[in-house]
Each structure stands twice: as structure tokens, then as C-alpha cells.
Amino acid sequence: MQEKFKEYASLIVRVGANVQKGQTVVVSGSVDNAWFVRLLAEECYEAGAREVVVRWKDDETARMKYLRADPAVFDHIPKWLVEFYNGYAEEKATLIGVMDDDPELLKGVDPDRIQRWGRASGAALKEYVGKQMQNEFAWCGVSIPSPAWAKKVFPDAGEEEAVEKLWDAIFKAVHVGNGDAVDLWLKKVETMARRAQTLTDYAFASLRYKNALGTDLTVGLPDGHKWVSCGEKAKTGFHFVANMPTEEIFTLPKKDAVNGVLRASMPLSLKGNLIEDIVFTLKDGKIIDAKASKGLDILEKELDLDEGARYLGEAALVPHDSPINQMNILFYNTLFDENASCHFAFGKAYPAFLDGTLTEERKKELGANDSFTHIDFMVGTEDLSITGVTKDGREIPVFVNGNFAF
């Protein structure tokens, strides 16, 4: 098992973050899994990192804060925290985020507190998030098991067994275990980049989604949009993989050109709460109605975070036969579940989806949405059909029976 841990850490550092000699690396991780953060730090230094800075987090004290802190706390972000992230972004430090969150950490917390903290942090960290989404620096998000998360995924197993089973699933999802993960990922990046270029070359005016679950949606696409895959290039000049695992190829919808009904195919873990059976109705791009059988109050608070939260910022294609979906595991973790299923995100669009030389104002004119939030939710099914419509009216099958048609 130790060899797999080291292979995973090496993959994250060498391919995901692609740490270069002389770079500063910021690692965020849980105190409960400090051993893995230390392993990553060791790998970063072996790759030539100038310094590894650790930003620790703790689920238990985070929950205490949401339940017991003075209400005014949720309207203000500490100055030191803003300076921390803006400072390292200015330095173009590489960011590695290690997630092991309990999917229901904030169950029972007042939704108003969650919304207020989201709004305050979104405003305070807008500069930092903007630089991250414009790939000013390399960044990589990964996950490792926690007992609470593992028990949610494998409720019939004991805690130790559940953690072991979740580790096995994670290793399988990121192709770790045979000692050749780095080479496999380099080939994967190349293959997915070719498919993304094919989609970009079609220059679709819109996509039509339909399945038996109830999704019936037309998604307009901006002029000059690009499809992006797992391998991205930071302004530092080095390639990186933002999420591990990843199976998605994605772009941005045109903000005011999405119409129809969109039904989620999986539960959404949103800020420590589970949202189930989501149904959105969209008109001229805006989510005018939202339904859910569980967690609707949390969902609506997120949709009301700001004006852009009710518009879509991402459309992602993931084949139903993706390796993660074939495991037939509901991870209750968006990083994994979004790579088992086609998905959308409501909220902010990544600027990289459009020509990087355009001004932010011009990108907004073309249809790029802006928001403090960006929440992925899954819509893919085995019968999902997606048809691309070109500017001259040609219809090109993109997905047939849940998988790519080409």
C-alpha cells in the first residue's frame, strides 16, 4: 500500500501540479490526514520546490464555527486570509488542494450562515479566484479518504474496511497501482486534447440534450468558444491537470441562450449537505425554477448568492462508459461523480473557454457568465443524446446512448 501512496503523491506532483524547480507550492489539507500532506510535501521538494506552504483545515472545528460562532463572523473574511491567497497568486505559486470532506459535514447548519459566508468569501477572494480560473498559476485538486466519507460511500462496511475500499476506488480512478501512472496520464492528456480540438473545430452554435429521465434542453454556445480537456497550460508556461481524476471535455454555455428542463442524475454534495433529485427549468439562460426532494433550501441559497448564480457557466461531456462510471460507485464527491457523468455547472464560467486575448468585458458580451460560485451537478445517463447544431443548421450527433458518437 505504501508504494501506491507514493505513486499517487508522485503523480499529483509530477503531472497534476507539475511542480517545477524553484517554485513555491501551497498545499491545503486536513489535519486528520497530515501524513499524506507530508508525503506530498516530500515529493514537491524532490521535484525542486523552493518552499512548501501548508494551509491546514479541520472539519470538526469548521462545523463548530458554523453552529456556534457569532453571526457577524459570516459576513467578513479575515484580512490575513485574503492576503495569503492573493499574495501566493501574485507569486504564481502552485496550488494543490487535498479534499477528504464529509459529504454531510454541514447537515443541520443554518443555510443563511452558509450563504453569507459564500457571498463574503466570493467577494473577498474574487481577485484570487479570477487568477486561478484564468490559469495564472498551476493548480490541482485531488481527494483521499476520510472515515466519514468512506462510510457514506460504503455504509455496510466497517470503518477500516470502508476506508480501504475507498482507497482502492480512488487508485483505480487515477490509474495508480502498476507503477506506470505518470506515463498513462501523459497519454490520456494527449488523447483527450485531440477530442477537445475536434469539438472546437465543429464550432457548434448550440447543443440539444435529451433523455428519458426528463432532460430536454437546448444550450446555445458563444461564438469562438473552445472545448478544453484535462491538460491545461498555466501562464507560467507549464502544463498541469487541474483535477485528478478527470474524464471530462468542457466548454461554456452562452449565458442567455439556454432553454428547457434539466434533471440531475445523481445527488449533489453541496457545502456539507446532500441535494437530491434536482430539476431546473431554464428560460433565456436563467434558472427560473428549482426543485429537489432533499436540500432544496441549501440549493436555493446558493442560487441566490448573486445574479450570476442562476445562469450556467460550464457544460461538460463525459461518456457513460467512463472508467469511473463503470465502477458503479456513487462517491458523494463532485470531483469523482462529475467524471462519471455529463454535467453542467451553475455560476462562473472559466475564461479559458474563450480567446485569452479578449478583454473580460468582451467575454461577457459573448456570453461568459460571472458569479462568486461555480457548482457542478451531474446529468448524464445511459440513454442521453446530445446533438450539435452548426451555424449553417447541420445536425451532428455528439452523444448517442450516453457515449461519444465519434
Side-chain angles (χ1 to χ4, degrees), residues 62-72 74-75 104-118 270-273 295-302 305:
R63 180 172 174 82
M64 287 182 203
K65 174 181 174 178
Y66 274 104
L67 289 172
R68 304 177 66 177
D70 187 285
F74 301 98
D75 296 319
E104 296 189 284
L105 175 68
L106 300 185
K107 183 177 181 180
V109 170
D110 182 356
D112 184 63
R113 290 188 166 212
I114 298 172
Q115 183 195 52
R116 286 161 60 190
W117 181 254
L270 176 60
K271 297 185 175 178
N273 291 270
L296 181 59
D297 54 344
I298 301 294
L299 178 62
E300 288 183 329
K301 284 291 186 182
E302 194 70 19
L305 192 66

Side-chain angles (χ1 to χ4, degrees), residues 257-399:
V258 183
N259 291 279
V261 175
L262 190 53
R263 184 180 290 270
S265 56
M266 296 182 185
L268 168 65
S269 179
L270 176 60
K271 297 185 175 178
N273 291 270
L274 284 178
I275 320 297
E276 298 183 2
D277 303 315
I278 297 171
V279 182
F280 289 142
T281 301
L282 295 98
K283 180 175 175 56
D284 297 330
K286 186 175 184 178
I287 299 171
I288 60 171
D289 184 61
K291 294 183 174 66
S293 65
K294 178 182 178 182
L296 181 59
D297 54 344
I298 301 294
L299 178 62
E300 288 183 329
K301 284 291 186 182
E302 194 70 19
L303 291 172
D304 291 335
L305 192 66
D306 56 29
E307 188 271 341
R310 283 189 176 266
Y311 293 83
L312 301 183
E314 178 186 329
L317 305 181
V318 178
H320 189 69
D321 63 4
S322 80
I324 297 174
N325 192 49
Q326 288 181 342
M327 283 192 267
N328 198 31
I329 295 173
L330 181 59
F331 283 90
Y332 299 97
N333 178 310
T334 301
L335 180 60
F336 287 82
D337 291 335
E338 73 171 2
N339 288 296
S341 170
C342 284
H343 55 274
F344 287 93
F346 59 83
K348 188 175 181 66
Y350 287 96
F353 295 145
L354 292 169
D355 185 346
T357 65
L358 299 175
T359 64
E360 291 306 303
E361 189 61 34
R362 180 56 181 154
K363 290 177 180 179
K364 289 181 182 179
E365 290 174 359
L366 288 171
N369 188 37
D370 191 25
S371 174
F372 290 152
T373 193
H374 178 94
I375 304 296
D376 297 279
F377 60 97
M378 288 58 75
V379 302
T381 57
E382 63 182 351
D383 69 336
L384 178 65
S385 69
I386 305 175
T387 302
V389 181
T390 63
K391 293 178 182 178
D392 59 6
R394 290 183 299 132
E395 297 188 358
I396 310 293
V398 177
F399 263 49

Side-chain angles (χ1 to χ4, degrees), residues 195-209 218-227 249 251-254 257 315 317 353-354 366 386-399 404-406:
R195 177 164 271 165
Q197 188 59 53
T198 297
L199 287 163
T200 298
D201 291 343
Y202 273 121
F204 291 124
S206 64
L207 298 174
R208 292 203 305 261
Y209 288 68
T218 298
V219 180
L221 301 175
D223 289 340
H225 69 277
K226 296 187 294 185
W227 289 86
I249 297 172
T251 192
L252 78 166
K254 188 175 181 181
L317 305 181
F353 295 145
L354 292 169
L366 288 171
I386 305 175
T387 302
V389 181
T390 63
K391 293 178 182 178
D392 59 6
R394 290 183 299 132
E395 297 188 358
I396 310 293
V398 177
F399 263 49
F404 278 106
F406 51 82

